[in-house]
Amino acid sequence: MLEINQLRCFVAVAEELHFSRAAERLHMTQPPLSRQIQLLEHSIGLPLFIRSNRMVRLTPAGRNLLPEARAILRMAEQARNSALRVGLGEEGRVVIGFTAVAGYQFLPDMLLRLRKALPGIDLQLREMVTAWQLDALVQGHIDLGLLRPSSRGEGLEDLCVAKEPLMAAIPEDHPLASLRSLHLKDFHDQPMVMYSPDEARYFHDLVHQVFHAQQVYPRYDQYVGQVHSVLALVRSGFGVALVPESASRLHYEGIVYRRVGGVSPAKPVELHLVWRRDNDNPAMARVLTYFERLRRAR
Amino acid sequence: MLEINQLRCFVAVAEELHFSRAAERLHMTQPPLSRQIQLLEHSIGLPLFIRSNRMVRLTPAGRNLLPEARAILRMAEQARNSALRVGLGEEGRVVIGFTAVAGYQFLPDMLLRLRKALPGIDLQLREMVTAWQLDALVQGHIDLGLLRPSSRGEGLEDLCVAKEPLMAAIPEDHPLASLRSLHLKDFHDQPMVMYSPDEARYFHDLVHQVFHAQQVYPRYDQYVGQVHSVLALVRSGFGVALVPESASRLHYEGIVYRRVGGVSPAKPVELHLVWRRDNDNPAMARVLTYFERLRRAR
DNA sequence: CGTCATTACGGAATGCGTAATGATA
DNA sequence: TATCATTACGCATTCCGTAATGACG
């Protein structure tokens, strides 16, 4: 096989067309240089130079090899530097999972700042629901999850990054839409679109608690997994719903959003960043350092 | 610097994720393999694997290096093969100089056949007049010249590949254009466009001899260097001219071509292939072998 | 205690430098 | 004879294989 060292020798001689000068440039003496060239020629099976004692010139095979040899040397150099930069986290990739709703409010800001602060790092995005993100984190398919709170914390770090109130999403032609101010009690016995207890455990429990605390009991007719779907059903007239404030960014035609009195301020909707404590991605480490610096600055 | 051998070891371990199996694949024992990996890691400055005794896995830096290492190995392999093929003439480049007129008749056929017979060889074309081609041949800028005969034969091989008669090129509204048959004598005292004695020595001498042999003396009003230019002047009414038959392929609007009686058949226009005897381009050698085979087949 | 990577060590091969040789103008 | 590549040879380093050690389940 061609050896890197031999290629380096070859390039030097091919550029100088003079063994002695090439040897000088390589910080060695001529004889071993001659020998390396001979070995290279032998391993290819052809002469690369024509030595006419007063003149060294390339054979066609040598002329052909020269640019390739340069390319290989350049690649080797780059590979080394790139591996080093990846190791130091100056370059690399961080895969981020996010829920659809986070994609409308929190994520864009975060990405903008991250890209600015860590320009060498390639940020890859994958939309998935909270439960899938937790799986993907554990399996190492994503480095970072932007998701709703969850109890599954085996080896996972968790940071609350946003809190927002729940708001009512109401079809614009619904009687409640015309009320000046809205209170939880107004939802009593109302048909509502509810979150599914397994696909959207967090929202399910949160909405349930909010109403239960006030002894209000709406009628839960529909159970769906994502805020998107909730809004789609609200718009189709299946009832009203409680959604995080940021969902109002979705600008669903035919839906109005209202603040609701009686919702405990101690129960906001939270958005969390989650990652594996033993994640070994150095680029990820730099992202975390960046978050840490942000947190302290506040 | 990264060594090829170390990269090969790295790729094997990265693919097997198991030192013993990788060593087996590399036809060596584990300990030196471990050592090569350590050396590689040291030369990069970072660990590439995490060895947890029951499990070998890549670090991010290693994951990043893997495709680059594969690429380098592939390139090294290719470089070797390519150099060998170039050396054997199975692959390579032949630069061919040609005169403008040759480009209309002889060259296209020749290229078609060469490309078919020697598919691995890249044929590069450069149009230039005979004198320039001779220079370019000597200096090694072209491998092969397709040109008019010349006396400069220092180390050059020469092969006549085409003979063609001279024909008259006449403006269509010229009195001679309407004659049924044309003889050299008809050119006596006629204004003619002549070839320049330094830029187109061969044509100059040839035309001169043709007329001289018959004691015919036209009037040479214009001297130009290329057949192209001759035709342009003929078309502009500066006179008539003798041109090689293949020039009629140029299909100049307003020019008619006529055979001429009295032109010695022993003095056709010749087209020659010329190359350096000591040309070391193996692809060129194959081209020559091809010509030789053609010649013998005839 | 079995598996598997690392460390330890001896022998072979490789690479470099110095000195001698050879070829060419 | 001067220049410059090659050959010859001795020494240091590198690389491989075998044997011993060590870590983890």
Side-chain angles (χ1 to χ4, degrees):
Chain A
M1 181 53 121
L2 307 189
E3 290 304 320
I4 289 282
N5 191 24
Q6 293 172 0
L7 290 179
R8 206 191 346 264
C9 291
F10 168 72
V11 169
V13 176
E15 282 175 358
E16 300 284 347
L17 290 178
H18 195 289
F19 277 71
S20 307
R21 279 200 297 277
E24 195 174 346
R25 198 170 101 181
L26 294 165
H27 305 295
M28 63 193 290
T29 55
Q30 305 93 326
L33 175 58
S34 280
R35 181 149 179 68
Q36 290 305 321
I37 298 293
Q38 286 167 13
L39 288 172
L40 180 60
E41 288 176 324
H42 189 259
S43 90
I44 288 179
L46 283 173
L48 298 171
F49 294 101
I50 294 170
R51 294 85 145 165
S52 41
N53 225 346
R54 194 53 76 175
M55 184 82 142
V56 172
R57 63 182 216 281
L58 284 163
T59 62
R63 239 188 314 281
N64 183 269
L65 181 64
L66 182 55
E68 308 202 40
R70 284 204 192 95
I72 293 172
L73 293 176
R74 203 179 325 117
M75 276 197 74
E77 181 72 22
Q78 277 181 355
R80 187 194 163 279
N81 291 338
S82 172
L84 194 59
R85 282 202 299 276
V86 167
L88 299 176
E90 290 167 12
E91 166 175 320
R93 165 172 295 182
V94 170
V95 186
I96 302 175
F98 67 101
T99 61
V101 176
Y104 282 88
Q105 171 98 344
F106 185 82
L107 188 68
D109 282 8
M110 183 179 96
L111 290 181
L112 220 69
R113 288 168 202 213
L114 274 178
R115 257 195 263 278
K116 203 168 161 191
L118 309 171
I121 294 176
D122 173 27
L123 302 173
Q124 293 273 325
L125 298 172
R126 307 249 190 285
E127 189 199 315
M128 41 180 118
V129 298
T130 295
W132 282 53
Q133 285 191 50
L134 290 166
D135 271 355
L137 280 167
V138 171
Q139 306 213 348
H141 297 143
I142 63 177
D143 293 298
L144 197 60
L146 198 54
L147 41 72
R148 301 299 169 186
S150 143
S151 56
R152 288 183 45 190
E154 330 119 20
L156 297 180
E157 291 279 348
D158 190 296
L159 180 69
C160 175
V161 290
K163 298 184 183 186
E164 52 183 332
L166 279 171
M167 292 186 79
I170 308 172
E172 60 185 2
D173 55 359
H174 191 282
L176 289 178
S178 54
L179 290 186
R180 273 288 198 75
S181 74
L182 211 54
H183 192 274
L184 274 182
K185 291 186 176 118
D186 297 321
F187 292 84
H188 193 75
D189 217 28
Q190 279 285 337
M192 282 196 75
V193 182
M194 183 47 163
Y195 297 90
S196 142
D198 40 273
E199 290 179 68
R201 177 46 133 333
Y202 173 68
F203 278 117
H204 175 90
D205 291 356
L206 187 68
V207 170
H208 194 268
Q209 283 163 28
V210 160
F211 283 114
H212 196 78
Q214 296 280 320
Q215 310 279 10
V216 175
Y217 300 101
R219 282 176 24 217
Y220 300 137
D221 284 352
Q222 301 288 332
Y223 288 89
V224 293
Q226 291 194 56
V227 175
H228 269 122
S229 323
V230 167
L231 292 175
L233 292 187
V234 167
R235 181 163 170 257
S236 307
F238 284 91
V240 299
L242 292 187
V243 298
E245 184 182 39
S246 57
S248 66
R249 293 265 180 134
L250 295 178
H251 291 305
Y252 252 76
E253 194 84 18
I255 292 184
V256 297
Y257 300 91
R258 293 279 185 275
R259 296 203 167 270
V260 182
V263 176
S264 160
K267 288 277 180 194
V269 183
E270 296 189 353
L271 186 65
H272 286 220
L273 272 176
V274 179
W275 63 94
R276 270 174 67 155
R277 192 174 296 121
D278 63 352
N279 184 308
D280 64 358
N281 183 342
M284 179 61 196
R286 294 205 59 208
V287 168
L288 291 178
T289 315
Y290 171 75
F291 286 146
E292 185 60 21
R293 237 178 329 125
L294 265 195
R295 204 180 56 75
R296 264 191 232 149
R298 273 200 231 111
Chain B
M1 181 54 121
L2 308 189
E3 291 304 321
I4 289 282
N5 190 23
Q6 292 172 2
L7 291 179
R8 204 189 350 262
C9 291
F10 168 72
V11 170
V13 177
E15 283 176 358
E16 299 285 347
L17 291 178
H18 194 288
F19 277 71
S20 307
R21 278 199 298 276
E24 194 174 347
R25 198 169 103 181
L26 294 166
H27 305 295
M28 63 192 290
T29 54
Q30 307 93 325
L33 175 59
S34 279
R35 180 147 179 71
Q36 290 304 322
I37 298 294
Q38 286 166 14
L39 287 172
L40 180 61
E41 289 175 324
H42 188 259
S43 89
I44 288 179
L46 284 171
L48 298 170
F49 294 101
I50 295 170
R51 294 85 146 164
S52 41
N53 225 346
R54 195 52 77 174
M55 185 82 143
V56 173
R57 64 183 215 280
L58 284 161
T59 62
R63 239 188 314 282
N64 183 269
L65 181 63
L66 181 56
E68 309 202 38
R70 284 204 193 96
I72 292 172
L73 293 176
R74 202 178 327 116
M75 276 196 72
E77 182 71 23
Q78 276 180 355
R80 187 193 164 282
N81 291 338
S82 173
L84 193 59
R85 282 201 301 275
V86 167
L88 298 177
E90 291 168 13
E91 165 175 322
R93 164 173 296 180
V94 170
V95 187
I96 302 174
F98 67 102
T99 62
V101 176
Y104 282 87
Q105 171 98 343
F106 184 82
L107 188 67
D109 281 7
M110 182 179 96
L111 291 181
L112 221 67
R113 288 167 203 212
L114 275 178
R115 258 195 263 277
K116 204 168 160 193
L118 308 171
I121 294 177
D122 174 28
L123 302 173
Q124 292 274 324
L125 299 173
R126 310 247 190 284
E127 189 199 315
M128 41 180 118
V129 297
T130 295
W132 282 52
Q133 285 191 49
L134 290 166
D135 272 356
L137 279 167
V138 171
Q139 306 215 347
H141 297 143
I142 63 177
D143 293 297
L144 196 60
L146 200 51
L147 41 72
R148 301 301 169 186
S150 145
S151 56
R152 289 184 46 189
E154 329 121 21
L156 297 180
E157 292 280 349
D158 190 296
L159 180 68
C160 176
V161 290
K163 298 183 184 189
E164 52 182 335
L166 279 172
M167 292 186 81
I170 308 172
E172 61 185 3
D173 54 358
H174 192 281
L176 290 179
S178 54
L179 290 185
R180 274 289 200 77
S181 74
L182 212 53
H183 191 274
L184 273 182
K185 293 191 175 110
D186 297 320
F187 292 85
H188 192 75
D189 216 28
Q190 278 285 337
M192 282 196 73
V193 182
M194 182 48 163
Y195 298 90
S196 143
D198 39 276
E199 289 178 69
R201 174 51 133 325
Y202 174 68
F203 278 117
H204 175 90
D205 292 356
L206 187 68
V207 170
H208 194 269
Q209 284 163 28
V210 160
F211 283 114
H212 196 76
Q214 297 281 321
Q215 310 279 11
V216 176
Y217 300 101
R219 280 175 25 215
Y220 300 136
D221 284 351
Q222 300 288 333
Y223 289 89
V224 293
Q226 291 194 55
V227 175
H228 269 121
S229 323
V230 167
L231 292 175
L233 292 186
V234 167
R235 182 164 171 256
S236 307
F238 283 92
V240 299
L242 293 188
V243 298
E245 184 182 39
S246 57
S248 66
R249 294 264 180 135
L250 295 178
H251 290 304
Y252 252 76
E253 195 83 22
I255 292 184
V256 298
Y257 300 92
R258 293 279 187 275
R259 294 202 167 273
V260 183
V263 176
S264 159
K267 287 278 179 196
V269 183
E270 296 189 352
L271 186 65
H272 285 220
L273 271 177
V274 179
W275 62 95
R276 270 175 65 155
R277 194 172 297 121
D278 64 351
N279 184 309
D280 65 357
N281 183 344
M284 178 62 196
R286 295 204 59 207
V287 168
L288 291 179
T289 314
Y290 171 73
F291 286 145
E292 186 59 23
R293 234 174 333 123
L294 265 195
R295 203 179 57 76
R296 262 190 237 152
R298 271 199 234 114

